[in-house]
């Protein structure tokens, strides 16, 4: 296999694997494994898969395969391994970092047809699912027995469990209940050579390395999850949702810090600023108070505890300048309050032709300082930034608004959104809280981690995938080859001269 190709100006990732020529008969072999209708090769079919939720990166794959069983996934991956064909796993394609972006000469393996709930064990609070099961369908199936699946990304009505596992997805209620990783106990995985392994199990704390923990959040780079054992939890006795209106994000941010410092752990604390409220109201009409910043605080647990905590939270909000506090009075009111929050990204289209969703993390205490700096950078760039985020765990989602039709504005928006990530790092935070690194942020990895850190991660990757066939161009800033000598990374003289680059 060629290790280098000539430099081009293509979309990043588009050139990965481009030096590879497929042997004749490979498509026929895929058809014999998965069936005629499960191998897509026509341009109009392939275009559906050319991007994920991050639509400014697009690559048309060579083929899309839609297996329906573990045996089919294994057989497909074995062919890829034998022929050195890179592959990208895909769930629902809602990712926001380009994680499921295809490779020009690779295949997309869509898990969408592997969508069966395999086993429900109410007594132990466990559910085994295929990877294509939609997040919200897990709660749908266990709610009859008062259970729910806690990780609740705003995309939960469409995103898949396989995608949640790969991204270690979060959501509003992860503040109290933990991210996807807390709720994944076991995984069945097809490794990049086609071997089937089980990582973790139904019970907690197996001896040995926590390889299921390593796989969760690995963004499709270590293999394909074909079965996931999930933990589901009992619905709390009482839930109360408070809305607190503030003049601005500084006061709201101080209230968040004080709530946590008081020893209260709400199920969720979300913040929306004035622009986010405007967009969400235009789309959902949740009747939010018009204010500079809104906190949504959800408390759950035994009724007496929730009632006391609701009083405490209201009092902390008032001390920090809340101008209005409301408590949702019915399940319907609670649902509409959350609908407004969860629709906020999509609602941006109501106030701006284009926008970039960013995802960074900062220590909660740095909220006021960082929010001020974001607004300063936005005014400097003459752009608007809306903010809607998981304030309780400091996971920011600045939405940089722009108009692609105005020459230069897209570039300005991209530069601003990357500057915001640098700001997160400078404040002791991270370049992603839940959307992953994918294609979009791989160049930021070098800003966050030192070369030895990156090398260590790369060694883990090579242990699973020595040929680097599984989503090979994502996450790492420079695709290290597994044959590279350990030690300081040294550019090849051709790379140094700028005439060739690695793929
Ligand atoms: C409107 C909107 C709101 C969102 N809100 C949130 C939010 O609140 N929190 C949050 O965390 N995310 C959020 N997201 C991002 C996205 O929905 C999540 O990252 C989700 O987990 C992706 O799932 P998916 O099935 O769409 O995965 P895809 O986009 O198809 O894939 C994502 C990654 O997972 C890998 N992958 C998929 N399936 C497998 C598998 N079976 N085995 C191995 N790797 C696999 C892919 O290769 C890719 O790297 C939002 C997205 C949108 C569009």
């Amino acid at each position: 296999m060629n290790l280098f190709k000539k430099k081009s100006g293509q979309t990043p990732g588009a050139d990965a694997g481009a030096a590879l020529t497929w042997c004749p008969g490979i498509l026929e072999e895929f058809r014999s494994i998965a069936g005629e209708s499960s191998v897509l090769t026509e341009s109009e079919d392939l275009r559906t898969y050319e991007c994920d939720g991050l639509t400014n990166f697009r690559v048309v794959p060579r083929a899309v395969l839609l297996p329906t069983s573990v045996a089919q996934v294994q057989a497909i991956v074995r062919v890829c391994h034998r022929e050195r064909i890179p592959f990208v796993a895909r769930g629902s394609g809602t990712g926001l970092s380009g994680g499921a972006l295809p490779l020009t000469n690779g295949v997309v393996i869509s898990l969408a047809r592997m969508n069966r709930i395999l086993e429900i064990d109410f007594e132990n609070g466990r559910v085994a699912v295929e990877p294509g099961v939609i997040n919200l369908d897990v709660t749908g199936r266990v709610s009859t027995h008062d259970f729910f699946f806690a990780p609740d990304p705003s995309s939960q009505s469409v995103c898949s469990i396989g995608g949640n596992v790969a991204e270690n997805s979060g959501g509003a209620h992860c503040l109290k209940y933990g991210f996807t990783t807390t709720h994944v106990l076991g995984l069945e995985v097809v490794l990049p050579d086609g071997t089937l392994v089980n990582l973790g199990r139904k019970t907690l704390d197996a001896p040995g390395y926590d390889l299921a923990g390593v796989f969760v959040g690995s963004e499709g780079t270590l293999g394909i999850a074909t079965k996931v054992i999930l933990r589901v939890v009992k619905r709390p006795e009482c839930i109360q949702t408070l809305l607190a209106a503030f003049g601005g994000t500084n006061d709201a941010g101080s209230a968040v810090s004080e709530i946590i410092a008081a020893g209260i752990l709400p199920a969720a604390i979300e913040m929306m600023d004035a622009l986010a409220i405007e967009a969400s109201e235009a789309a959902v009409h949740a009747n939010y108070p018009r204010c500079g910043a809104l906190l949504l605080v959800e408390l759950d647990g035994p009724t007496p505890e929730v009632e006391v905590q609701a009083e405490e939270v209201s009092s902390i909000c008032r001390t920090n300048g809340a101008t209005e506090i409301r408590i949702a009075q019915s399940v319907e009111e609670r649902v509409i309050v959350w609908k407004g929050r969860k629709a906020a990204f999509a609602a941006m289209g109501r106030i701006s032709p284009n926008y970039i969703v960013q995802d960074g993390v900062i220590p909660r205490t740095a909220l006021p300082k960082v929010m001020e700096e974001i607004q300063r950078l936005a005014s400097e760039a003459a752009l608007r930034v809306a903010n809607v985020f998981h304030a309780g765990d400091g996971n920011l989602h600045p939405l940089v608004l722009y108009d692609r039709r105005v020459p230069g504005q897209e570039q300005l928006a991209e530069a601003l959104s990357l500057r915001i990530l640098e700001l997160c790092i400078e404040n002791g935070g991270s370049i992603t809280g839940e959307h992953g690194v994918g294609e979009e942020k791989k160049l930021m990895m070098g800003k966050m981690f030192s070369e030895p850190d990156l090398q260590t991660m790369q060694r883990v990757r090579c242990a699973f995938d020595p040929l680097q066939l599984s989503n090979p161009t994502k996450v790492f800033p420079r695709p290290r080859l597994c044959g590279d000598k350990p030690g300081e990374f040294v550019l090849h003289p051709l790379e140094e001269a700028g005439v060739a680059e690695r793929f």
Side-chain angles (χ1 to χ4, degrees), residues 207-261:
Y209 294 117
D210 176 14
L211 294 180
V214 171
F215 193 91
V216 178
S218 60
E219 303 193 30
T221 61
L222 304 183
I224 300 185
T226 46
K227 177 174 153 188
V228 190
I229 302 173
L230 301 170
R231 187 169 76 100
V232 287
V233 288
K234 270 278 179 187
R235 280 235 172 265
E237 181 193 1
C238 172
I239 304 176
Q240 277 204 11
T241 310
L242 263 101
L243 287 180
F246 294 84
T249 52
N250 275 1
D251 287 350
S254 307
V256 173
S257 293
E258 257 187 60
I259 291 168
I260 304 284

Side-chain angles (χ1 to χ4, degrees), residues 312-492:
E312 279 185 79
V313 168
S314 303
S315 149
I316 291 171
C317 288
R318 268 187 228 102
T319 321
N320 282 281
T323 49
E324 185 181 345
I325 294 177
R326 290 187 208 160
I327 296 186
Q329 297 300 322
S330 62
V331 175
E332 292 71 29
E333 254 185 65
R334 205 163 70 76
V335 169
I336 189 82
V337 161
W338 279 113
K339 193 171 171 198
R341 160 62 186 90
K342 295 206 171 195
F345 288 1
M348 287 302 144
R350 305 280 178 142
I351 59 167
S352 173
N354 306 99
Y355 60 93
I356 297 173
V357 181
Q358 223 9 304
D359 168 43
V361 183
I362 51 165
R364 221 170 10 236
T365 44
L367 263 177
K369 180 179 158 207
V370 171
M371 296 301 286
E372 249 172 51
E373 185 60 8
I374 291 176
Q375 286 317 321
R376 193 190 66 75
L377 291 168
S379 333
E380 214 173 78
L383 292 171
R384 294 181 301 163
V385 175
N387 289 284
V388 45
F389 58 96
H390 311 308
D393 38 33
N395 184 187
L396 305 181
H397 289 316
L399 294 127
V400 182
L401 313 184
Y402 69 97
D403 186 343
R404 193 172 279 152
R405 294 163 304 184
V406 178
Q409 215 173 70
E410 183 161 22
Q411 289 71 18
L412 268 180
E414 279 169 3
L416 174 58
S417 95
L418 291 180
R419 178 68 199 109
I420 291 173
L421 289 185
E422 286 172 350
L423 187 62
C424 292
I425 299 175
E426 285 156 19
N427 280 275
S430 151
I431 56 171
T432 172
E434 53 186 20
H435 295 171
V437 177
E439 179 66 38
E440 185 200 20
K441 293 185 187 169
K442 61 187 189 183
L443 293 176
M444 296 299 290
M445 287 285 274
K447 292 192 186 266
M448 183 155 174
F449 295 105
S450 66
E451 189 61 31
D453 289 340
L454 291 171
Q455 275 180 29
T456 305
M457 290 185 218
Q458 191 68 6
R459 285 191 183 121
V460 174
R461 180 184 193 162
C462 289
F464 280 78
D465 184 14
L467 297 181
Q468 300 222 0
L469 296 174
S470 192
N471 216 3
T473 58
K474 312 293 165 56
V475 181
F476 292 97
R478 251 194 318 260
R480 299 287 300 265
L481 305 166
C482 291
D484 278 355
K485 290 199 183 80
E488 198 61 25
F489 178 79
V490 183
L491 285 177
H492 188 279

Side-chain angles (χ1 to χ4, degrees), residues 179-200:
F179 280 60
T180 300
T181 192
T182 316
H183 303 271
V184 172
L185 299 174
L187 290 161
E188 178 188 82
V189 172
V190 174
L191 294 178
D193 65 357
T195 313
L196 191 67
V197 293
N198 285 290
L199 313 176

